[in-house]
Amino acid sequence: MALDLTGISNENEFYTSHYLASILEDDLKDLFSTWTKAAEEGKGKPPADRLLALSRDYARLRSELARERDSEERLALQRPFLSAFLAALGYDAAPTAREMADGATAIPVFAEVKKRNGAPEIWILETVETDEGDAGATDPLALPFLPVQLPPSEQGAESRIEALPLPADAGEPLTLEDILTDLVFSLPEPPRWAVVLNHGLVVLADRTKWAQKRTLRFDLAELYGRRAQSSFRALAALLHRDSLAPEGGLSLLDTLDENSHKHAFAVSDDLKYSVREAVELLGNEALFYLRERLHEGVYGREMAKPLTDECLRYLYRLLFCFYVEARPELGYAPMKSEEYRTGYSLEALRDLELQDLTTEESKNGFFLNDSIATLFRLVYEGFNHEEKQTVLGADQGTDRHTFRMEPLRSHLFDPERTPLLNRVRFRNHVLQKVLECLSLSRPKKGGKRGAKKRRGRISYSQLGINQLGAVYEGLLSYTGFFAEEDLYEVHRAGETPDELQNAWFVKAADLANYTDEEKLFDGRLRKYAKGTFIYRLSGRNREKSASYYTPEVLTRCVVKYALRELLKD
């Protein structure tokens, strides 16, 4: 049964989207097999079946809540269901209060899991929807606690904890989002996981990802409305106590996180191949335009380096736009603006990466070229950046029917740095291929003949500085040059050719000196016609320039011990 993630939201890419869509199911097969085997041995129903068995109770709860407006009564109505829901996931509901760092404030904890040393590992925090709108529509992170949720102090307790968290100005009570940020995850010994839930939504927060607001959300109304078993299998796998805090060893979610990051690094390896190919595509298309449209001679050796540098700059501009559009927390690309997102963004053009170009105009026109040129100009010059905040809409500073972009006066986007490419227009089919290279992982080799090779979409929000740095480092190794006559690629016999490794090219007159095992075939002998722009690894360029990207493990170590000396007192 294919994994159905309907009703489960991957907020800000808790895991990479492609990982969830294409790889997660394989990584959970062993867990599902363990559950099935345990059920066959009479050890109880699988968690997903136990959750599904609550469908009738959930429908009854929704009906009762629709008629009840009192917050305390709503809390009392939802608790039996939430207790049963958590029990199916391996948790024991036992409402208690936990003191915060100030010693005078406490928050209600609905259930918890502790480490062996008594420190908290998981806190489950209950909220109750107080709006009179559609039940289950309110984000539990946007709700406060209610005073009635604090259990009465036990007799003989050293101190009575009665305060609920309030902001410094004693205004509106803090929401659960504020409480997690300011109180829970800032404790001297904070829990690793927080599960915030009401009868409508469940939110899983990982302390290590909370700063980026990366969470998993489970829409109970959607899940119980559809009652798809595979959806509940996914929910159970991602929320079960044993998945978050096993008795021993690495948790399942940490294993999935590691696999997701490995996939991201694999994608960055794919990107190394793609950017090399993209530079070649841009260089050869520039030569085509100069030769065929502007009727210029373009084969001088002195032109190879400036052409290479400008194609790299163009490519870096694309990578920058991909990155900032995928990272809303950077606050630069106005992706909340529909006008920008649908009319100017690179993300909108990315959707055209696999569109069939069937007409002469669609293949050889310049829509993509002109759209990207407009985007680059917006980044460099800015748009509406001098207007006051008063023109903004009410949605957290989002412009209404327009958008704002601050000018980025960097060398990267400076048009004076690309005088050659400023005179060139790239045809649609070439830029489409470039966008495809930068948007999709490489096709996997092998598999059954005729089988469609699934390509994942590269998630730039998951590509960190390390992966992009590795791509940048790789580009420093290559040299762009022109084939001054027809050239053929060869390699060492017995070795698998790799486009990221050193390349060897020979003239037609020298081919007789090489065996078929040393010649490179792509169906036929790989040939580079005279005048072709080639961008490949050449000699010791990177070693001579000392251009290496330092791995994060080393930079973290340097920063850690440097700061330790500075901050030791």
Side-chain angles (χ1 to χ4, degrees):
M1 182 186 299
L3 205 61
D4 185 350
L5 298 178
T6 304
I8 302 176
S9 300
N10 184 30
E11 293 285 321
N12 295 317
E13 296 212 322
F14 189 89
Y15 296 121
T16 65
S17 296
H18 177 57
Y19 174 77
L20 283 185
S22 304
I23 302 172
L24 176 65
E25 184 174 358
D26 287 337
D27 286 349
L28 293 179
K29 282 182 178 178
D30 289 344
L31 175 65
F32 295 153
S33 297
T34 300
W35 286 348
T36 301
K37 184 178 180 181
E40 291 172 349
E41 294 173 353
K43 297 179 180 179
K45 292 182 179 180
D49 292 352
R50 296 181 63 188
L51 291 170
L52 266 171
L54 297 173
S55 296
R56 187 170 297 176
D57 294 339
Y58 186 74
R60 185 184 308 115
L61 172 63
R62 296 270 297 184
S63 177
E64 292 172 346
L65 288 173
R67 298 189 297 269
E68 182 59 64
R69 291 291 174 261
D70 182 77
S71 297
E72 291 189 28
E73 290 299 324
R74 291 170 69 84
L75 183 69
L77 285 172
Q78 78 175 12
R79 277 198 165 176
F81 171 80
L82 293 183
S83 298
F85 178 83
L86 292 173
L89 294 171
Y91 302 98
D92 295 322
T96 186
R98 287 289 171 252
E99 188 175 322
M100 296 294 98
D102 61 6
T105 304
I107 65 169
V109 175
F110 191 53
E112 64 181 331
V113 176
K114 296 181 179 180
K115 300 176 183 177
R116 292 181 180 178
N117 65 359
E121 180 75 1
I122 306 171
W123 276 2
I124 297 178
L125 309 176
E126 178 192 21
T127 66
V128 59
E129 188 181 77
T130 56
D131 291 344
E132 297 186 7
D134 179 33
T138 303
D139 179 358
L141 293 177
L143 295 170
F145 284 125
L146 300 178
V148 71
Q149 289 180 256
L150 275 179
S153 300
E154 298 179 4
Q155 289 292 332
E158 293 183 3
S159 63
R160 294 178 59 83
I161 304 171
E162 297 178 346
L164 275 170
L166 290 170
D169 61 3
E172 292 295 320
L174 295 179
T175 64
L176 264 291
E177 182 173 352
D178 298 326
I179 289 168
L180 287 180
T181 302
D182 300 336
L183 300 176
V184 175
F185 286 148
S186 61
L187 284 169
E189 284 192 282
R192 164 70 188 279
W193 307 95
V195 178
V196 184
L197 78 168
N198 55 29
H199 75 279
L201 292 165
V202 181
V203 179
L204 173 65
D206 178 353
R207 186 180 76 249
T208 65
K209 300 181 180 184
W210 180 247
Q212 293 81 36
K213 295 296 183 284
R214 293 158 60 191
T215 62
L216 288 176
R217 289 175 176 266
F218 304 84
D219 187 334
L220 297 185
E222 176 76 24
L223 289 161
Y224 277 106
R226 296 177 65 253
R227 289 184 290 181
Q229 186 179 39
S230 68
S231 297
F232 279 96
R233 292 173 80 192
L235 181 154
L238 294 169
L239 278 181
H240 200 279
R241 170 181 174 155
D242 292 341
S243 298
L244 299 176
E247 292 297 329
L250 194 67
S251 72
L252 172 66
L253 264 71
D254 280 333
T255 300
L256 299 180
D257 200 46
E258 182 179 332
N259 292 345
S260 179
H261 282 293
K262 285 180 179 177
H263 173 68
F265 275 99
V267 167
S268 71
D269 283 339
D270 283 353
L271 202 53
K272 292 179 185 179
Y273 288 91
S274 298
V275 295
R276 190 214 62 81
E277 181 182 354
V279 170
E280 256 185 20
L281 287 167
L282 292 171
N284 281 298
E285 180 64 6
L287 293 179
F288 170 84
Y289 192 88
L290 292 170
R291 184 180 63 245
E292 301 297 329
R293 300 296 178 93
L294 302 184
H295 307 292
E296 297 181 6
V298 291
Y299 301 133
R301 290 186 180 182
E302 68 280 356
M303 184 180 175
K305 188 177 188 313
L307 178 62
T308 301
D309 291 346
E310 292 192 27
C311 289
L312 279 172
R313 189 176 296 274
Y314 190 96
L315 190 72
Y316 288 147
R317 290 173 180 174
L318 291 173
L319 290 175
F320 173 88
C321 292
F322 275 131
Y323 190 76
V324 297
E325 289 183 359
R327 298 238 176 187
E329 69 271 15
L330 296 176
Y332 183 72
M335 294 301 286
K336 288 185 178 181
S337 163
E338 183 178 356
E339 285 70 27
Y340 173 83
R341 190 177 62 254
T342 61
Y344 297 94
S345 74
L346 201 55
E347 188 64 27
L349 299 181
R350 197 178 181 187
D351 292 335
L352 303 175
E353 62 208 12
L354 295 178
Q355 186 74 35
D356 289 334
L357 304 180
T358 56
T359 67
E360 180 69 18
E361 182 179 358
S362 65
K363 290 179 182 178
N364 298 317
F366 301 105
F367 170 77
L368 292 178
N369 176 88
D370 296 344
S371 298
I372 292 173
T374 300
L375 175 60
F376 290 169
R377 187 172 65 253
L378 283 176
V379 173
Y380 186 69
E381 298 178 357
F383 183 73
N384 280 345
H385 57 279
E386 296 179 351
E387 292 189 10
K388 303 294 184 183
Q389 289 288 330
T390 53
V391 306
L392 302 181
D395 184 16
Q396 298 180 351
T398 302
D399 294 285
R400 184 169 295 173
H401 306 308
T402 185
F403 58 90
R404 299 173 70 249
M405 289 181 72
E406 295 296 327
L408 189 66
R409 300 288 189 177
S410 71
H411 288 172
L412 178 60
F413 286 92
D414 186 350
E416 293 186 5
R417 303 275 173 161
T418 51
L420 187 62
L421 295 190
N422 290 345
R423 301 163 51 221
V424 167
R425 299 178 78 193
F426 298 107
R427 290 172 292 176
N428 285 335
H429 73 90
V430 175
L431 279 181
Q432 184 190 45
K433 180 63 177 176
V434 170
L435 291 177
E436 180 185 336
C437 285
L438 301 182
S439 295
L440 300 177
S441 60
R442 300 171 73 214
K444 301 304 179 185
K445 296 180 180 179
K448 296 180 180 180
R449 180 176 297 179
K452 185 177 181 180
K453 298 177 177 62
R454 183 163 50 183
R455 301 174 64 185
R457 211 170 198 227
I458 293 175
S459 170
Y460 282 86
S461 63
Q462 282 291 307
L463 286 179
I465 296 301
N466 293 286
Q467 293 97 318
L468 291 176
V471 173
Y472 168 73
E473 179 193 48
L475 289 175
L476 297 175
S477 309
Y478 304 107
T479 298
F481 61 95
F482 298 132
E484 297 184 357
E485 55 184 286
D486 290 351
L487 295 178
Y488 298 85
E489 189 167 351
V490 296
H491 62 94
R492 290 191 179 96
E495 291 186 359
T496 302
D498 187 338
E499 292 177 353
L500 297 184
Q501 301 303 319
N502 275 305
W504 290 271
F505 305 94
V506 299
K507 303 173 184 178
D510 297 325
L511 268 180
N513 299 326
Y514 295 86
T515 66
D516 285 348
E517 287 74 21
E518 295 172 314
K519 299 173 185 175
L520 183 58
F521 289 90
D522 288 331
R524 58 183 180 179
L525 191 62
R526 183 180 289 184
K527 175 185 176 181
Y528 296 84
K530 179 180 178 180
T532 300
F533 175 73
I534 302 172
Y535 185 61
R536 297 294 290 275
L537 185 62
S538 175
R540 299 178 61 251
N541 283 0
R542 185 170 61 189
E543 290 90 334
K544 288 188 290 185
S545 67
S547 301
Y548 282 93
Y549 192 81
T550 308
E552 184 178 16
V553 64
L554 294 181
T555 55
R556 282 185 178 275
C557 180
V558 170
V559 172
K560 174 182 177 181
Y561 288 101
L563 290 178
R564 179 175 290 182
E565 284 299 310
L566 291 172
L567 304 176
K568 60 184 178 182
D569 297 327

